[in-house]
Amino acid sequence: MRVHHLNCGTMRPPLTPGLVAHVLLVETDSAGLVLVDTGFGLADGTDPAGRLGPARHLIRPILAERETALRQVEALGFAAEDVRHIVLTHCDSDHIGGLSDFPQARVHLTTAEARAALQPKTRLEKTRYGDAQLAHGPHLVEHSPLAGEAWRGFSAARELTEISSGIVLIGLPGHTRGHAAVAVDAGEHWVLHAGDAFYDARQLSRAGRTPLSLQLSERSFAHDWQLVRRNHQRLAELWAAAEPDLLLVNAHDPALLRRAQGL
Ligand SMILES: [Zn+2]
């Protein structure tokens, strides 16, 4: 499958180098287009206060229309209706803002994340999930990777064969209750999109220091910090192994996005 690496949401939080919202656009053989996450959407640009609330002052997104997944899909010669499926790493607003631009798409996520977003329990869950991004009533398709198979050492995986073979949802809770990574078979290599399981590649490579502001932000948004740290360890092992047929990316590191776009 052909995979495009898109930035669907530049952010400029205080004291932090610019962040991106790394979205995968996958051209499948038989299931049309598939998005992995959506970044921000058109409605975020027209109503940032209503859609993002006070959090917009923390993440400071630029909300440029040309960065939305919809406009980038169109620029590649496709239409919104060609996007038949969206697979989510989790439901924070910087990942699902574009859902309402593709109302016909089936939206795949873990059952645990759907429960967290629809029935938030903790104080953090009650503040991080907004109602606006889901108000259009997307067709949610819940999956339980715990009931699935392993994938490259991750114990809770589930191939989403109802979309296409070669798209795997991997349970990686910690950042949120039902956070997941998504692996996509891009032919000569697999792309593993780790979502917000880490914020900055230097957390895995140890080649330089992650800005303190990013570390603090990651910790303050963690549903379960111990699980986040365990995920870091597992992903650092994967980074160190440097398997030639695996491209590891995440949602917000601009260097990882540039590397992926340069391949
Ligand atoms: Zn995020």
Side-chain angles (χ1 to χ4, degrees):
M1 291 180 285
R2 181 163 184 209
V3 178
H4 303 266
H5 296 267
L6 311 178
N7 172 18
C8 298
T10 301
M11 292 168 268
R12 303 198 182 286
L15 305 173
T16 304
L19 304 179
V20 296
H22 189 152
V23 167
L24 307 182
L25 174 66
V26 185
E27 296 183 39
T28 71
D29 295 333
S30 56
L33 299 178
V34 177
L35 284 171
V36 175
D37 282 352
T38 71
F40 296 107
L42 291 179
D44 297 308
T46 52
D47 181 20
R51 296 267 296 194
L52 305 172
R56 70 191 190 284
H57 300 300
L58 277 178
I59 57 178
R60 297 205 298 202
I62 69 167
L63 300 175
E65 183 176 335
R66 64 182 156 74
E67 283 192 345
T68 60
L70 174 59
R71 294 293 179 248
Q72 295 194 67
V73 162
E74 291 170 345
L76 287 164
F78 301 108
E81 297 72 41
D82 295 329
V83 176
R84 294 182 17 209
H85 300 273
I86 297 171
V87 185
L88 296 177
T89 62
H90 64 297
C91 292
D92 279 345
S93 56
D94 52 325
H95 298 254
I96 67 167
L99 286 184
S100 49
D101 295 330
F102 305 96
Q104 76 293 334
R106 292 163 71 87
V107 179
H108 302 259
L109 73 175
T110 70
T111 299
E113 189 65 9
R115 291 306 106 214
L118 298 171
Q119 292 146 9
K121 281 187 191 154
T122 66
R123 197 170 61 172
L124 177 59
E125 286 181 348
K126 284 174 184 162
T127 54
R128 79 190 308 163
Y129 298 120
D131 296 332
Q133 285 79 2
L134 299 174
H136 63 290
H139 184 143
L140 300 181
V141 186
E142 299 179 17
H143 302 277
S144 296
L146 284 173
E149 63 267 31
W151 190 87
R152 295 205 187 207
F154 294 99
S155 58
R158 193 179 174 293
E159 189 166 28
L160 302 181
T161 49
E162 55 270 70
I163 305 176
S164 167
S165 62
I167 299 179
V168 183
L169 188 67
I170 300 161
L172 212 54
H175 177 66
T176 61
R177 202 198 308 178
H179 185 276
V182 183
V184 180
D185 184 353
E188 71 284 5
H189 62 266
W190 281 76
V191 179
L192 178 60
H193 190 307
D196 285 5
F198 66 101
Y199 275 21
D200 183 302
R202 289 167 290 191
Q203 294 171 295
L204 309 186
S205 67
R206 312 265 192 268
R209 258 183 98 76
T210 303
L212 185 62
S213 54
L214 262 190
Q215 295 181 46
L216 293 173
S217 167
E218 182 177 35
R219 187 154 187 164
S220 64
F221 282 109
H223 172 74
D224 184 328
W225 181 242
Q226 294 311 315
L227 286 183
V228 169
R229 287 175 55 93
R230 218 178 295 164
N231 293 341
H232 284 181
Q233 285 167 12
R234 168 71 193 117
L235 291 162
E237 288 167 14
L238 207 58
W239 183 275
E243 295 165 33
D245 64 338
L246 185 69
L247 178 65
L248 177 57
V249 303
N250 73 352
H252 297 310
D253 187 326
L256 292 183
L257 176 68
R258 280 195 300 273
R259 185 179 72 155
Q261 288 175 329
L263 288 180

